[in-house]
Amino acid sequence: MVRVLALTISHGLVLAVGFALGVYFLPILTAPPSPDAAMLSRNAKTALFEATFAEDLSGNDFLHWGKGRVSVGAEMIVHRGELAPGPDYKLYLVKQFVENEEQFERAKAEAVRLGDIKTFNGFLVDVPDGIDVRDFTTVLIWCEAFGEFIAAAKYR
């Protein structure tokens, strides 16, 4: 009886650890190549605004963070920096600066989702027609799958 219980617990732990590692590593393994520095710099030149991802926000921890510069243009958002790897990242524009999950949940109804982020060492995301970046103040990265705040940068 004790042996069966010990085997069940040990196998359950191994399964849980394997699942957690899979959730962490799968986005890294399936990510497309990040844009190169020249492409990021070239696209950043058309920016209307520049900002830096704020570090040490209340929504950040060792698994959920972003750092680097964000260039916000009328047609494209450019990030030159790093993001903690994870699944199902989305880029949002928000009308006011938020720094954690609770604040974003309250602001999400007025936020605009621009697109998916699939790379973790810089990205380019198009701004859809009809969206004026001047109507917002903050770029925010959100993990849709787990409802986790990743990063925010106030650009105006």
Side-chain angles (χ1 to χ4, degrees):
M1 177 69 169
V2 172
R3 182 170 186 233
V4 171
L5 182 61
L7 286 173
T8 302
I9 291 171
S10 67
H11 283 73
L13 285 172
V14 169
L15 180 64
V17 169
F19 178 77
L21 288 172
V23 167
Y24 181 78
F25 283 112
L26 186 62
I28 297 168
L29 296 172
T30 60
S34 295
D36 65 33
M39 181 183 291
L40 293 171
S41 293
R42 187 172 52 252
N43 284 289
K45 288 181 182 176
T46 63
L48 302 170
F49 305 99
E50 289 276 331
T52 300
F53 277 123
E55 296 186 41
D56 300 324
L57 299 175
S58 64
N60 294 138
D61 58 34
F62 75 101
L63 291 175
H64 308 102
W65 53 267
K67 56 186 172 182
R69 298 285 296 160
V70 180
S71 302
V72 180
E75 297 177 2
M76 184 172 291
I77 309 290
V78 179
H79 170 243
R80 290 166 287 164
E82 297 178 74
L83 299 174
D88 202 23
Y89 283 3
K90 308 296 181 195
L91 184 68
Y92 284 87
L93 292 178
V94 186
K95 293 191 178 210
Q96 68 278 350
F97 183 75
V98 298
E99 65 174 271
N100 59 43
E101 289 87 359
E102 295 81 23
Q103 291 175 1
F104 182 61
E105 290 291 351
R106 289 192 300 271
K108 196 172 183 182
E110 292 185 325
V112 172
R113 188 167 88 188
L114 298 181
D116 298 336
I117 298 173
K118 302 221 181 255
T119 59
F120 309 111
N121 291 309
F123 63 75
L124 302 166
V125 174
D126 292 327
V127 175
D129 291 338
I131 303 296
D132 187 349
V133 297
R134 292 171 291 210
D135 293 338
F136 302 89
T137 67
T138 302
V139 173
L140 184 135
I141 300 173
W142 180 255
C143 176
E144 205 71 45
F146 294 103
E148 287 288 339
F149 175 89
I150 305 303
K154 185 172 184 175
Y155 59 87
R156 62 171 209 95

